[in-house]
Amino acid sequence: MIVIENANQILTIPPGSTGPKRGWEMQDLGIIEKANIWIDNGKVVKISREKPEGEYEGIDAQGKIVLPGFVDPHTHPVFAGYRDFEFSLKLKGMSYEEITKMGGGINYTIKMTNESSYDEIFEQSSKRIRKMIEHGTLAAEAKSGYGVNVEREIMLLDIIRDLGEKYPIDLIPTFLLHFPPKNMDREKYIDEILKRMDVISKKAKFADVFCDSIAFNVIETKNFLTNAQKYGLKLRMHADEIEYIGCSSLGLKIHLKSVDHALKTPKTILRAYSKKDTVFVLLPGTPFMLFQKKYANARYMIENNIPVALGTDLNPNCYTENIQEIITLAVTQMKMSIEEAISAVTFNAAYSLDIHDKHGSIAPGRPANILIADVPSYTHFAYHFGINLIEKIIKDGKVVKI
């Protein structure tokens, strides 16, 4: 038996009334002050202000807060190489599209990943996974996408599986149709992938497409996603990051668990999602690292009852494993409240990945995936920026040591 004692605040993060938290529900963190949490056999047994008795292992949380482990619903952690050289190009005013066309961007990472061995990619990716855990992420979606070649993409899914088995984090694998390969017909490329979907569907939980002006169009996206769905994969979509070409509109016709990025999604399309349980996964780190001023319209989404989650978009262009920094960006750049941002990196993020039965909330009977932060109030997650505020990590009832 473990008892977390004397917590200044316990953020239980109750679920939304109809599934994901939306609208005013995102303000409700379910705070219990000056209380204890009993943990046994990997699960939360009780949350109470009463004093613990008998034999137990005590963890002192006096003057600190306790909250669910963070869930990162959008990451690209499995790749080789870095793109720090692009910074000077961005400073000169070059756009993401221009850098990609001249051989940088996604094409560069694809090249580096395809020239690297399983062991090299695994080692580089391991460092990222450890950093994610250190900063409090206990579950994350992890995408393929930098292999492009079908067999390479399958290898990346195997690396995601092996990373999840090695480290105390739940990695949810997504097969990502990321970028059209050079010198190959796009329709033929998609057909080649669909021919291997029997194998892919055993290694991934979700299918995703980068649907945008520089990647795949709406027709190609629909073809891939509807066929992937036939194999039991649930659907996600990179949409409207660079331009609106109708990608998010497709989600009104086929069921998407998430629409991600959504920087250019029209308000008319957003309103149509207000009664759906599709979660909009917003990634403020991406426009921040592209030196852009426009961010996703989080305030409009929340005020129109659209479920919102937040992710790092960890990738060579937006290189951060620290979801705490994403909370800061969400508050300062997208004008989300601190409460909304915390709901967005816990329960709503878990809901978008179908793991909200295990992550994103603290309650008796649920797995004990819990963080202790050395701050007196949750408000410090936006106020005290640039450092790691997490002091102790508990995964499935066990204290984690990285």
Side-chain angles (χ1 to χ4, degrees):
M1 177 79 73
I2 295 174
V3 181
I4 302 173
E5 301 179 272
N6 309 311
N8 211 42
Q9 295 175 331
I10 298 173
L11 280 55
T12 63
I13 320 287
S17 58
T18 59
K21 294 166 78 72
R22 59 181 87 220
W24 65 266
E25 293 175 337
M26 293 187 69
Q27 299 281 352
D28 181 13
L29 300 183
I31 299 172
I32 302 173
E33 296 184 340
K34 310 295 183 184
N36 311 309
I37 302 178
W38 282 255
I39 299 169
D40 196 24
N41 292 323
K43 293 187 176 182
V44 175
V45 175
K46 180 170 62 173
I47 304 171
S48 173
R49 292 189 178 93
E50 67 184 68
K51 288 187 176 183
E53 298 178 350
E55 292 187 7
Y56 64 91
E57 177 188 346
I59 298 176
D60 187 13
Q62 186 167 8
K64 302 168 187 177
I65 72 165
V66 178
L67 71 161
F70 296 130
V71 178
D72 192 338
H74 185 124
T75 78
H76 305 252
V78 181
F79 61 88
Y82 303 97
R83 302 217 307 262
D84 47 300
F85 64 89
E86 292 181 1
F87 249 81
S88 60
L89 302 178
K90 295 175 187 176
L91 287 167
K92 292 175 182 176
M94 290 188 68
S95 70
Y96 181 70
E97 301 95 309
E98 290 170 331
I99 292 171
T100 299
K101 287 177 182 178
M102 63 179 290
I106 294 173
N107 285 326
Y108 181 82
T109 304
I110 290 169
K111 178 178 180 292
M112 295 298 293
T113 302
N114 276 282
E115 291 176 355
S116 300
S117 68
Y118 174 102
D119 290 341
E120 289 169 334
I121 299 170
F122 185 90
E123 181 57 32
Q124 290 187 38
S125 303
S126 290
K127 295 176 182 178
R128 299 175 197 118
I129 298 301
R130 290 196 297 268
K131 288 290 184 185
M132 290 170 71
I133 298 167
E134 287 170 6
H135 288 86
T137 296
L138 298 186
E141 187 245 24
K143 303 178 191 291
S144 70
Y146 290 119
V148 178
N149 172 280
V150 182
E151 297 307 321
R152 273 267 153 174
E153 288 294 288
I154 290 172
M155 185 187 83
L156 296 183
L157 290 173
D158 287 340
I159 292 174
I160 291 168
R161 176 201 62 208
D162 294 345
L163 288 167
E165 291 176 354
K166 182 173 181 178
Y167 296 104
I169 184 172
D170 293 327
L171 293 179
I172 313 304
T174 292
F175 181 91
L176 172 61
L177 187 67
H178 202 179
F179 212 64
K182 293 180 178 180
N183 306 318
M184 186 175 182
D185 179 79
R186 295 152 72 105
E187 186 175 343
K188 182 180 178 182
Y189 172 61
I190 294 172
D191 286 344
E192 283 194 4
I193 292 173
L194 292 175
K195 288 176 183 177
R196 301 302 310 278
M197 196 55 68
D198 56 333
V199 175
I200 292 167
S201 62
K202 293 179 174 66
K203 297 175 182 288
K205 180 175 180 179
F206 291 96
D208 189 0
V209 181
F210 184 12
C211 182
D212 218 310
S213 57
I214 68 168
F216 293 94
N217 64 36
V218 174
I219 294 172
E220 293 162 341
T221 297
K222 183 179 180 181
N223 176 34
F224 175 72
L225 290 181
T226 53
N227 277 286
Q229 192 173 40
K230 293 175 184 177
Y231 286 86
L233 293 175
K234 297 182 180 181
L235 310 181
R236 314 177 78 78
M237 186 194 294
H238 288 57
D240 311 344
E241 178 189 358
I242 297 165
E243 291 182 31
Y244 172 71
I245 62 170
C247 297
S248 53
S249 302
L250 183 59
L252 300 172
K253 300 172 185 176
I254 61 175
H255 184 257
L256 299 174
K257 283 299 295 185
S258 76
V259 173
D260 299 27
H261 285 290
L263 269 74
K264 304 292 178 64
T265 307
K267 289 182 178 179
T268 52
I269 302 300
L270 290 175
R271 286 197 298 271
Y273 276 94
S274 62
K275 293 184 180 179
K276 296 176 72 70
D277 66 356
T278 300
V279 178
F280 273 65
V281 176
L282 308 185
L283 309 163
T286 306
F288 178 75
M289 290 307 295
L290 288 172
F291 305 170
Q292 296 174 347
K293 295 182 179 180
K294 181 176 175 59
Y295 288 74
N297 197 343
R299 282 264 50 87
Y300 187 85
M301 295 178 194
I302 293 170
E303 289 165 5
N304 282 273
N305 290 317
I306 296 165
V308 168
L310 292 167
T312 59
D313 196 15
L314 165 61
N315 72 72
N317 176 63
C318 179
Y319 201 1
T320 181
E321 300 93 340
N322 185 2
I323 206 163
Q324 297 172 51
E325 288 300 289
I326 300 305
I327 294 174
T328 300
L329 288 176
V331 173
T332 60
Q333 305 302 311
M334 298 197 301
K335 309 307 177 187
M336 291 176 67
S337 70
I338 301 173
E339 293 83 1
E340 290 165 347
I342 291 174
S343 290
V345 297
T346 52
F347 188 81
N348 275 8
Y351 188 90
S352 83
L353 296 173
D354 277 341
I355 56 171
H356 51 291
D357 58 333
K358 298 178 181 178
H359 290 275
S361 185
I362 300 175
R366 291 178 60 90
N369 295 312
I370 290 172
L371 307 174
I372 300 175
D374 189 12
V375 292
S377 168
Y378 68 87
T379 52
H380 281 246
F381 276 109
Y383 165 68
H384 192 174
F385 65 95
I387 67 165
N388 186 5
L389 300 177
I390 302 304
E391 179 184 82
K392 198 172 291 292
I393 300 165
I394 298 172
K395 174 72 168 65
D396 292 327
K398 297 179 180 179
V399 176
V400 170
K401 295 181 181 178
I402 299 297

